[in-house]
Amino acid sequence: MITTRFPKLLFSKPTVRLTVGAVALALLVGCASKGEPAYTPKELRSFAETSSLESVWSRNVGDGLGRARYPIAPAREGETIFAADADGVVAAFNADNGNREWEIELDTPISSALNAIAGQLYLGTRNGEVIALDQRDGSVNWRSRVSSEVLAAPQANQQLLLVQSVDGQITALDRASGEERWVYTSSQPSLTLRGTGTPMVIDPVSFVGFANGQLATLDNRNGQPLWELQIATPRGRSDVDRLVDLAGQPVVTPDGRLFVTSYNGNVVALEATRGGVLWESNLSSRHTPILVGNILLVVTDDSHVVGLDADSGQEVWRNDDLEDRWLTAPAFADGRVVVGDFEGYVHLLDAREGTLVGRTRVHKSGISVRPATEGSTIHVQANNGRLETLEVTP
């Protein structure tokens, strides 16, 4: 069902549901998951499809994301799409036709999403290694060690690669050599979601969210905080109730706005240079949002897809047709919001209105990582390792 709201104050229902304990426990650090929700998802209903998703090609990448559903999302740069599995297989494919350009098998299990940038492919491992591969042939350029397991994709600017490990430490590595440049350490609560925030790195600074609900802006020259802000405040008696992780990646705009999501907290818009709060919206989300035009698109923890006015935070539209279907973080393809769900379906929503416009199923093993998109092309990796490339028409 679609509800459309024009600018007014938000009084959305809390996303801490009756099943929050079961949901949170399924997300805790170190907990394995079979990918099944701990609550009842909405059944899919037919609708008037105005967009179709045509399969262009599909390939298998190793044995998939493992029983723990490691967040090993694929990455694309130029005409190449890169994907990996939890056991250490990394492969590169021609994005247009699926021809396998190369495949390697690392001697260590992979745990992070991939990041492809400037001819390099960066990833993290369960034993706290960070590895840089050459995009041309998969050869290892360097390997470096950080403090603990890496679940978030390493993030780069021109000189540095920032790595956020599960113990809350931020390590800055030299992009060319992998040598450590500086370290920033945060305090961690006794219980956290299974996953970590992903730094947003630009040349002068990095915006980093932590499991204690705090956001920090770090000077990339030395790792010193320029400002810190408590985005979400722990409340409640139990450790589960007090979960406030900033598990998504902040979104920064050219005009200096910063958008941050939090679990059991709010979506917050900030003035990026000083951390001044522009607005807050009462939505709980552990996912990275996306900004399309002037609409901030958020997938909440009960799998509502919400469009917020980026200037005011007021709700423009909300779609709850996919409630509790364990949606991925949103992606954007040719005017549509793209999300995957626990049963392996890919859903398209109109980004301006929030209506469902297309759907297809990739694999029954489910989809738990954000799709990679380029124009009207969508690359989706299912939990069993199947990498499917879809084209949106019209």
Side-chain angles (χ1 to χ4, degrees):
M1 178 181 70
I2 305 294
T3 57
T4 302
R5 297 181 178 89
F6 295 98
K8 60 181 179 181
L9 293 177
L10 289 180
F11 295 99
S12 58
K13 66 178 182 179
T15 53
V16 181
R17 307 169 68 82
L18 293 176
T19 52
V20 67
V23 174
L25 289 173
L27 296 168
L28 299 182
V29 171
C31 291
S33 168
K34 296 181 180 180
E36 294 294 331
Y39 43 87
T40 303
K42 270 193 177 180
E43 293 185 6
L44 297 180
R45 296 180 179 179
S46 60
F47 59 95
E49 296 191 27
T50 57
S51 298
S52 61
L53 286 160
E54 298 180 2
S55 178
V56 180
W57 57 264
S58 64
R59 300 289 183 270
N60 292 321
V61 182
D63 292 325
L65 307 186
R67 290 179 59 84
R69 297 290 184 258
Y70 285 96
I72 311 171
R76 175 171 171 166
E77 185 173 48
E79 299 305 313
T80 306
I81 179 76
F82 304 91
D85 82 343
D87 294 329
V89 172
V90 187
F93 303 91
N94 181 286
D96 293 329
N97 56 33
N99 288 341
R100 196 179 301 257
E101 297 178 355
W102 52 260
E103 181 176 297
I104 63 167
E105 187 166 355
L106 299 171
D107 58 357
T108 183
I110 296 170
S111 53
S112 84
L114 309 182
N115 190 7
I117 181 170
Q120 305 295 308
L121 182 66
Y122 301 106
L123 55 88
T125 74
R126 280 181 246 172
N127 63 6
E129 261 195 306
V130 181
I131 302 176
L133 303 177
D134 192 309
Q135 288 188 17
R136 294 172 297 183
D137 56 12
S139 58
V140 176
N141 288 331
W142 54 258
R143 304 172 79 136
S144 187
R145 181 78 60 176
V146 295
S147 58
S148 62
E149 181 183 40
V150 180
L151 296 177
Q155 300 294 308
N157 66 7
Q158 293 187 39
Q159 292 83 30
L160 299 177
L161 187 74
L162 262 68
V163 183
Q164 187 161 359
S165 43
V166 297
D167 60 0
Q169 181 169 296
I170 305 295
T171 305
L173 305 173
D174 185 281
R175 269 187 64 184
S177 65
E179 294 181 5
E180 183 180 299
R181 294 304 183 204
W182 51 258
V183 170
Y184 175 88
T185 302
S186 70
S187 62
Q188 288 284 90
S190 58
L191 202 62
T192 70
L193 297 182
R194 184 184 175 274
T196 57
T198 301
M200 169 54 68
V201 182
I202 58 179
D203 278 340
V205 299
S206 295
F207 304 100
V208 188
F210 298 101
N212 59 11
Q214 190 173 75
L215 179 76
T217 297
L218 307 180
D219 188 329
N220 284 337
R221 295 172 297 182
N222 51 28
Q224 294 300 307
L226 299 176
W227 56 261
E228 297 170 306
L229 183 67
Q230 194 71 35
I231 297 294
T233 302
R235 294 183 175 89
R237 295 182 178 181
S238 72
D239 287 339
V240 171
D241 291 337
R242 294 172 63 82
L243 288 170
V244 290
D245 296 45
L246 307 189
Q249 183 179 36
V251 172
V252 65
T253 66
D255 63 0
R257 291 177 295 168
L258 187 68
F259 301 101
V260 184
T261 58
S262 59
Y263 182 81
N264 273 351
N266 296 322
V267 178
V268 181
L270 304 169
E271 196 275 315
T273 56
R274 296 181 179 86
V277 176
L278 301 174
W279 54 258
E280 298 182 57
S281 177
N282 183 21
L283 296 172
S284 172
S285 175
R286 68 185 189 280
H287 289 310
T288 301
I290 55 174
L291 186 64
V292 177
N294 202 44
I295 297 180
L296 186 72
L297 299 161
V298 178
V299 172
T300 69
D301 288 317
D302 51 6
S303 290
H304 291 194
V305 186
V306 182
L308 300 176
D309 184 291
D311 290 332
S312 65
Q314 294 171 6
E315 193 169 304
V316 178
W317 57 258
R318 176 188 292 254
N319 188 310
D320 64 0
D321 291 338
L322 307 174
E323 183 175 271
D324 291 344
R325 292 192 63 83
W326 210 245
L327 297 183
T328 66
F332 180 74
D334 196 24
R336 287 83 161 182
V337 185
V338 186
V339 291
D341 76 11
F342 81 107
E343 288 187 315
Y345 288 95
V346 174
H347 307 273
L348 298 181
L349 295 87
D350 185 286
R352 294 170 299 178
E353 300 178 355
T355 53
L356 279 169
V357 295
R359 175 188 298 149
T360 193
R361 196 175 196 182
V362 171
H363 194 270
K364 65 181 181 180
S365 62
I367 301 167
S368 57
V369 294
R370 183 181 192 168
T373 59
E374 181 70 30
S376 60
T377 302
I378 304 169
H379 306 283
V380 183
Q381 188 167 9
N383 293 333
N384 73 332
R386 180 187 180 95
L387 179 65
E388 184 97 15
T389 292
L390 305 165
E391 189 71 20
V392 180
T393 57

